[in-house]
Amino acid sequence: MDLFIDANRGGRPQRQNLLNPNFNAVGVYTCEHGNMGQRFTVIDYAGKMEMKSHATETIAALKEKYHPAVEPEEPEPERCSILPEDVVTPNDCGLFEKFNEVRTNPSSMVAQLDELLADDALQGENRYLVFKARRKLHKQRAGLKAFAFNDSLFLAAADHCKDGTDNGIVGDVGSDGSFPSERVQKYAKAMGVEEQVDASAVLDSVDKAAQYGIVNFDLEQLFNPHTKFGALATCAHKTAGGFYVGLTAESVVPSKATLQKIDDIIK
């Protein structure tokens, strides 16, 4: 700022140099001046410059000394939820993301179903269910926008999942007589709520669980173009092995109490 204001101090046209459009390179070096604690600054300007080899080597050495290269850390993969892993488990996220993969690219599951159909041991109703799911995926063709994971929906799904663990319920109706929309209303105002449950889910493999879901569930929920939000909870079932609860909704507005609950869980 001093150089710009005091334009001609010492006979040096500082302001003229700073505003000269022909200068496109500048070098600045500052050091102490004498033993008075004053600052000494040298500024060189250039319109065209060709760097000599020894200067390039010196600059490289200085960079290595003062700014050594640091290997970038591998970014952690983004989780489907801001809730911790002991709440929304990797299995929950993995299965949710797998269903989203099929929603956005229906053909991604077709090859797996074709492998099942190629097995002559698959007969009867099971073969028909696989064939029907494969036909649905083929007809869908164009994918839809992925569901956004919603923590309010997850809390409602987790409640129903725990009901299966504790009380052995196997369908949409809770042990207290509640329906999906009622359980969601505990946490948020929502429209277009739909739920899928399975009390014999295979949870040891995300791929197998997703394949089972695609074959056995109503795919109208997965391919509902009006649905924007979703969540999925998995847990052990009291009598039937694994339990899966999937919720989707067209709109979700969490209550203040739910937002506080989520904050408390994160803390």
Side-chain angles (χ1 to χ4, degrees), residues 146-163:
F147 294 129
F149 192 95
N150 185 272
D151 293 317
S152 299
L153 292 179
F154 173 80
L155 293 174
D159 284 350
H160 197 52
C161 211
K162 188 174 185 304
D163 201 1

Side-chain angles (χ1 to χ4, degrees), residues 46-217:
K48 184 178 180 180
M49 182 177 64
E50 183 176 339
M51 194 174 298
K52 295 183 177 180
S53 59
H54 72 275
T56 303
E57 294 170 0
T58 300
I59 291 171
L62 290 171
K63 284 183 177 179
E64 180 63 28
K65 180 178 180 180
Y66 295 106
H67 302 285
V70 178
E71 287 294 327
E73 294 183 3
E74 287 290 330
E76 292 186 6
E78 290 187 11
R79 279 175 40 77
C80 66
S81 171
I82 60 173
L83 295 175
E85 285 191 3
D86 60 341
V87 179
V88 180
T89 68
N91 210 46
D92 297 334
C93 278
L95 194 49
F96 176 79
E97 289 163 359
K98 194 67 179 179
F99 281 128
N100 252 343
E101 180 182 331
V102 179
R103 176 176 165 87
T104 57
N105 180 21
S107 63
S108 64
M109 181 65 73
V110 169
Q112 294 181 43
L113 300 186
D114 284 342
E115 287 183 14
L116 292 178
L117 292 171
D119 185 356
D120 293 335
L122 185 70
Q123 295 294 328
E125 183 180 0
N126 289 336
R127 187 174 187 85
Y128 171 71
L129 289 173
V130 174
F131 175 78
K132 186 172 74 169
R134 197 248 187 248
R135 183 175 58 185
K136 174 65 177 177
L137 294 179
H138 180 71
K139 289 176 66 176
Q140 181 65 30
R141 298 199 178 192
L144 300 172
K145 186 176 180 181
F147 294 129
F149 192 95
N150 185 272
D151 293 317
S152 299
L153 292 179
F154 173 80
L155 293 174
D159 284 350
H160 197 52
C161 211
K162 188 174 185 304
D163 201 1
T165 301
D166 296 342
N167 303 305
I169 55 100
V170 296
D172 290 336
V173 182
S175 60
D176 59 355
S178 63
F179 289 94
S181 57
E182 295 174 297
R183 292 190 289 273
V184 172
Q185 285 175 7
K186 177 181 175 182
Y187 297 103
K189 293 181 179 179
M191 293 181 60
V193 174
E194 295 181 278
E195 184 180 73
Q196 291 277 13
V197 299
D198 179 42
S200 59
V202 180
L203 301 178
D204 59 336
S205 164
V206 167
D207 286 339
K208 288 181 181 178
Q211 180 178 285
Y212 181 91
I214 294 299
V215 170
N216 291 278
F217 294 165

Side-chain angles (χ1 to χ4, degrees), residues 230-249:
L232 187 149
T234 59
C235 58
H237 190 268
K238 184 175 183 178
T239 60
F243 195 37
Y244 156 100
V245 181
L247 277 169
T248 57

